[in-house]
Structure formats: structure tokens, C-alpha cells
Amino acid sequence: LLKVKKVDTDCRINYFSSDPLWYDILSCPHCNYANYHVDFFKVNSGDVEKIRKIVKTEQEPILQRGKDKFSAFDKLVLKYLQAIHLNEHIDGENNALIGSLWLKLYWLAKDSGDGKFVKYCSAHAIEKLQAAIDNEEIKSMATSPGQREKVANSLMMSTIEKISLSVSLSKEE
């Protein structure tokens, strides 16, 4: 059971014991396929060959090049980047999913202290989350019309504003 420690200004929830961000992306040790845990086993049979090709030609060379040199944190970041890359190729119109992956990577980037990486991830998170709002992707995700959609849109807008504020505050430091 996770107990909330605090909620950051950019909506990241911090816990006392462990950080779920470390477990949100699953990776196959045999084929190097990586994806968000809720989507890991939901691969469309028509996409299997496309995924294999992307992993083999675009991702595996990078993974093999530094596999013995990467820290646990580096490997985690690579898993997120792999999941983002695959989802952009397979389901590129799903801005809510890709935006949430970028948001989680932004939070991890903040942990690393790498300001350039923080800005890079925040820009992509903002872009994708804003596109999800603009394309009304929340409507298709909401189970009860009206209230849930408004709350979800409000939360996404608030998160975008808070990421922007957090990044601009870090520029001043």
C-alpha cells in the first residue's frame, strides 16, 4: 500500500516507500519490447511485426551499445523513451497516452537534475497533453459524460500550467 507523502506543484505525487514511476513501464528481457504496464499485453496482432522492426532496427542498437554502462536510472529513462517511441509509431494519435508518458519522464528528469532534459520532456508533455485537450480525447475516455470530462480537462490544463510554472521557476534558479 502506497502512502502519499506530498504532491508537488507540477501534480507529481510523492510516496513514502517507493515510486510507482519505476514500475510503470514493463520491458521484455528477450525482445526488448517496452510499454506502459496497462498496454504491455494489449498488442494488436497487426502491429506485432511493426513493433519487432522498430525495436530491432531503431531501439536495439542503442540498447546494446551501452547495456553494461547504463545505471538503473538510465535504463528506466530508456524504457520510457522506448515506450514513447513505440506508441508514437503505433498509436501516434493517442496524445493523452503519449503525453502522460512524457509527463512521467519529465518527473524523472527533474529527479536527475538535468535542466536541459527537464525542459525537453516538459515541452513534449505540454505539447501532447494540450493536443489531447484540443482533440477532445478526454471525451472518448470519460465513462459518464459532462462532469468527468470537465474534471479531466481541468486537471490536464492545470498540469500543463504547473509544468510551465515549474520549468520557468527552475530557469530562475
Side-chain angles (χ1 to χ4, degrees):
L1 184 66
L2 295 172
K3 187 173 178 185
V4 176
K5 184 177 183 179
K6 69 175 184 161
V7 178
D8 293 342
T9 57
D10 60 6
C11 301
R12 180 180 182 180
I13 300 172
N14 294 279
Y15 300 92
F16 279 103
S17 56
S18 65
D19 190 346
L21 292 177
W22 281 77
Y23 310 102
D24 276 349
I25 304 296
L26 298 179
S27 178
C28 175
H30 303 291
C31 71
N32 290 316
Y33 165 69
N35 208 347
Y36 190 53
H37 71 279
V38 296
D39 296 324
F40 189 80
F41 296 104
K42 294 181 183 175
V43 178
N44 180 333
S45 60
D47 292 333
V48 171
E49 198 51 45
K50 189 174 184 180
I51 290 170
R52 268 195 199 118
K53 183 179 179 185
I54 291 168
V55 171
K56 189 82 171 158
T57 61
E58 298 177 29
Q59 295 180 351
E60 221 169 75
I62 295 166
L63 297 172
Q64 293 303 319
R65 196 173 328 145
K67 72 177 180 181
D68 298 329
K69 299 174 191 167
F70 294 136
S71 68
F73 184 81
D74 292 338
K75 289 177 184 176
L76 178 63
V77 168
L78 282 171
K79 284 181 186 181
Y80 271 93
L81 289 170
Q82 280 183 269
I84 290 166
H85 183 248
L86 276 175
N87 281 293
E88 285 177 338
H89 279 75
I90 303 302
D91 194 12
E93 299 299 312
N94 191 341
N95 295 300
L97 169 64
I98 298 168
S100 70
L101 289 169
W102 275 114
L103 177 61
K104 291 174 182 204
L105 190 54
Y106 156 76
W107 290 331
L108 288 170
K110 282 181 51 180
D111 290 348
S112 76
D114 183 339
K116 287 181 182 179
F117 192 45
V118 169
K119 290 174 192 169
Y120 180 79
C121 294
S122 67
H124 285 287
I126 291 168
E127 174 191 342
K128 290 296 184 177
L129 292 173
Q130 186 63 56
I133 293 168
D134 294 345
N135 297 337
E136 299 181 343
E137 290 178 30
I138 301 305
K139 278 185 183 177
S140 64
M141 294 168 62
T143 54
S144 63
Q147 194 61 11
R148 263 206 166 147
E149 179 186 335
K150 287 177 186 172
V151 169
N153 273 334
S154 173
L155 179 60
M156 280 183 144
M157 285 301 293
S158 174
T159 302
I160 290 169
E161 290 168 11
K162 289 176 180 181
I163 293 170
S164 299
L165 176 64
S166 179
V167 170
S168 65
L169 288 176
S170 68
K171 286 180 188 175
E172 294 172 8
E173 293 174 354

